Amino acid sequence: MDSDTAKKLAASDNRETRRQVALESEWNSEIHAFLAQDAEASVRHALAYNPHLDPQAGLILAKDHKEKIRLCLAQTLADKISSAEISERESFKKITYMIAENLSKDLSLKVRKALSLNLITISELPQDLALSLALDEERAVAEPMIVHSQAFTDEDLLHLLRDRREDWVQFAVAHRQNLSEPLCDKILYSNDTMSIGVLLDNETANIASETLERIVEHAAYTLIFQSPLARRPNIPERLLVRLSEFMDLSLSSTLTSRTDITDKTLDRIQTNIRQRQENLNHLKSLQEYDADEIANKVKELSRANLLNHSVIMDAIDIRKFLFLKHALSHMSGLAFEKITHIIDCKDPRHLCALAWKCGLPATTCVQLQKTLYHLPEAQLLLPKNRHSYPLPDMEMEQILKLYT
């Protein structure tokens, strides 16, 4: 409709006529400002839906006392920015972002949430506006912006991780596409296993090789890491071989079906898996009460040079406690009854010293603490730098002297 007709209809006493003008009229500052103050909420609501809404009228609607009108405005802002003509887009966007800033401070959670979800599609969203929404006290508002917005620099995201202490913030950042190495390191060197698992499953995340190697070692006692590592593309082949030495055997097909590894690497992985499966079958067949049979099996594995941390991990998984005691005794050179004393004392320092004496990785020691001592996560002695024993060698030697 032309401007003169629209003006006449906008002043009509008929509510439905005014609503139709509000919904369909082209961008017109005078008409839209007039309709934005209409006494009927249905008219103002229709105007908020109008893809050609005049931004000055939008500023009026952003302060409307009706939540549903502000909600409608929040839900359609991105479309209004996209539909603006090239010639008018810059001035239009400037005022539209002012509308968004007003709505970002709205008391209604529904409005702020709708605004955040709507604006994540805008690639050139102003940084201040994106940060304002990312710092919102409500997760429903902040999380979509943190996960998807392209407005943030690495420094912005590092500040968010530092300033926002909620657990879900790191979880959200881990979902972002094309994360840089510093951001990946920030997450991967944390104790947040859920976020680390998400990041490992994020194929676009740029994880440094050194960091990835540490995580693979950490995966020996953190099962949630194993599956995403087995699937992760472009992982160094030596790390896949290392993973096959301890991962849950249910992941075997995930590793062996990879198409990005050499035949030599595949053969090494298959050998590790086959050897572990054979050992596991032997362990399962052992009767827990038959000490002589178990002791003989331990000696057999030792002669075949197969009494290693993989066998210990398998014994832990199937709860073969008597086998564990005999294996730890044989590997450490300590008498069987001394192993029983170490287990009975419930001191994780003593178990660490025993695992160290057996030549087991520090990661395997963590599983021993969980299995033999039933310790909660907070009381575990965890490896330093993910793979070094937490106690000095001299201290562990002193502890072992108590049992010799």
Side-chain angles (χ1 to χ4, degrees):
M1 66 183 75
D2 60 66
S3 178
D4 289 339
T5 302
K7 285 180 182 180
K8 291 177 182 179
L9 294 177
S12 171
D13 291 335
N14 186 291
R15 178 181 60 185
E16 182 57 30
T17 298
R18 301 199 309 278
R19 196 191 71 80
Q20 203 65 30
V21 174
L23 186 63
E24 298 179 356
S25 58
E26 296 293 323
W27 182 1
N28 186 299
S29 300
E30 182 182 355
I31 295 174
H32 285 188
F34 179 73
L35 292 171
Q37 300 171 77
D38 195 284
E40 289 291 339
S42 63
V43 175
R44 305 196 305 277
H45 193 226
L47 183 64
Y49 264 120
N50 190 327
H52 305 294
L53 172 68
D54 175 73
Q56 294 293 347
L59 285 172
I60 298 173
L61 294 177
K63 298 177 181 179
D64 198 286
H65 68 280
K66 289 286 187 180
E67 180 189 66
K68 71 173 185 178
I69 293 172
R70 304 193 310 276
L71 180 61
C72 173
L73 192 62
Q75 290 171 332
T76 57
L77 271 185
D79 289 340
K80 296 184 193 325
I81 293 171
S82 300
S83 64
E85 297 295 333
I86 298 296
S87 59
E88 63 196 23
R89 185 168 294 174
E90 287 308 312
S91 60
F92 184 89
K93 282 197 301 185
K94 183 177 180 180
I95 302 176
T96 305
Y97 289 140
M98 290 173 60
I99 298 172
E101 287 173 9
N102 286 336
L103 293 175
S104 71
K105 299 175 179 66
D106 200 286
L107 295 178
S108 167
L109 172 59
K110 287 183 179 180
V111 171
R112 302 198 312 277
K113 178 183 176 181
L115 180 69
S116 181
L117 289 169
N118 190 248
L119 293 183
I120 58 176
T121 61
I122 303 298
S123 59
E124 68 273 25
L125 191 67
Q127 189 181 49
D128 290 347
L129 178 56
L131 282 172
S132 175
L133 290 165
L135 290 170
D136 194 283
E137 62 184 11
E138 295 290 344
R139 179 178 181 177
V141 178
E143 187 170 30
M145 193 59 58
I146 293 173
V147 173
H148 298 290
S149 178
Q150 300 177 35
F152 302 127
T153 63
D154 276 8
E155 187 176 353
D156 293 330
L157 293 168
L158 288 169
H159 284 164
L160 279 172
L161 290 172
R162 181 195 64 197
D163 297 340
R164 296 207 65 154
R165 299 298 182 181
E166 302 97 324
D167 292 340
W168 63 262
V169 175
Q170 187 158 263
F171 188 77
V173 173
H175 281 87
R176 288 181 62 87
Q177 296 294 295
N178 302 308
L179 281 176
S180 66
E181 286 188 7
L183 280 166
C184 288
D185 281 351
K186 178 71 174 178
I187 295 172
L188 293 171
Y189 279 87
S190 72
N191 293 319
D192 184 352
T193 55
M194 291 300 293
S195 295
I196 294 173
V198 167
L199 184 60
L200 293 175
D201 236 347
N202 183 345
E203 295 184 1
T204 69
N206 297 292
I207 303 175
S209 296
E210 181 181 347
T211 304
L212 198 56
E213 186 169 353
R214 292 175 182 272
I215 291 297
V216 168
E217 293 301 321
H218 197 41
Y221 60 89
T222 309
L223 295 181
I224 196 174
F225 297 169
Q226 293 181 10
S227 181
L229 282 170
R231 294 191 302 269
R232 187 170 182 80
N234 302 317
I235 188 170
E237 294 189 12
R238 59 185 173 78
L239 297 184
L240 294 176
V241 173
R242 174 74 178 113
L243 189 62
S244 70
E245 294 174 2
F246 59 76
M247 69 178 188
D248 192 303
L249 288 172
S250 65
L251 296 172
S252 298
S253 61
T254 304
L255 270 191
T256 56
S257 63
R258 292 181 66 117
T259 58
D260 59 345
I261 54 178
T262 64
D263 290 342
K264 182 179 179 180
T265 297
L266 178 60
D267 183 61
R268 291 179 64 189
I269 289 173
Q270 290 175 328
T271 298
N272 285 340
I273 291 172
R274 182 170 58 252
Q275 187 178 86
R276 288 184 58 207
Q277 189 63 62
E278 290 173 357
N279 289 336
L280 184 59
N281 292 338
H282 288 156
L283 288 177
K284 287 180 177 179
S285 68
L286 292 174
Q287 299 299 320
E288 184 68 6
Y289 56 80
D290 193 337
D292 290 339
E293 183 185 2
I294 289 174
N296 288 334
K297 182 61 180 177
V298 167
K299 291 176 184 177
E300 178 188 327
L301 288 170
S302 179
R303 286 193 296 270
N305 201 30
L306 295 176
L307 190 60
N308 52 35
H309 80 98
S310 294
V311 172
I312 297 298
M313 289 297 295
D314 289 337
I316 289 172
D317 288 341
I318 61 175
R319 299 296 191 265
K320 290 290 185 178
F321 298 116
L322 187 56
F323 177 89
L324 273 175
K325 287 183 179 181
H326 278 282
L328 293 172
S329 172
H330 190 91
M331 295 171 76
S332 67
L334 297 178
F336 180 84
E337 62 269 18
K338 299 298 183 182
I339 304 300
T340 301
H341 293 162
I342 291 175
I343 293 173
D344 290 343
C345 81
K346 300 297 183 183
D347 187 332
R349 295 175 304 153
H350 291 218
L351 194 55
C352 273
L354 173 61
W356 173 73
K357 179 69 173 176
C358 291
L360 295 170
T363 50
T364 306
C365 177
V366 176
Q367 289 294 6
L368 286 171
Q369 292 177 66
K370 289 181 178 180
T371 302
L372 299 178
Y373 285 176
H374 307 291
L375 291 178
E377 291 284 341
Q379 296 179 25
L380 293 173
L381 278 180
L382 298 176
K384 291 181 179 178
N385 302 321
R386 303 208 185 270
H387 58 80
S388 300
Y389 269 85
L391 302 177
D393 291 358
M394 186 176 296
E395 182 177 348
M396 290 189 283
E397 287 173 354
Q398 291 299 316
I399 291 172
L400 291 170
K401 284 182 180 179
L402 300 174
Y403 300 97
T404 54

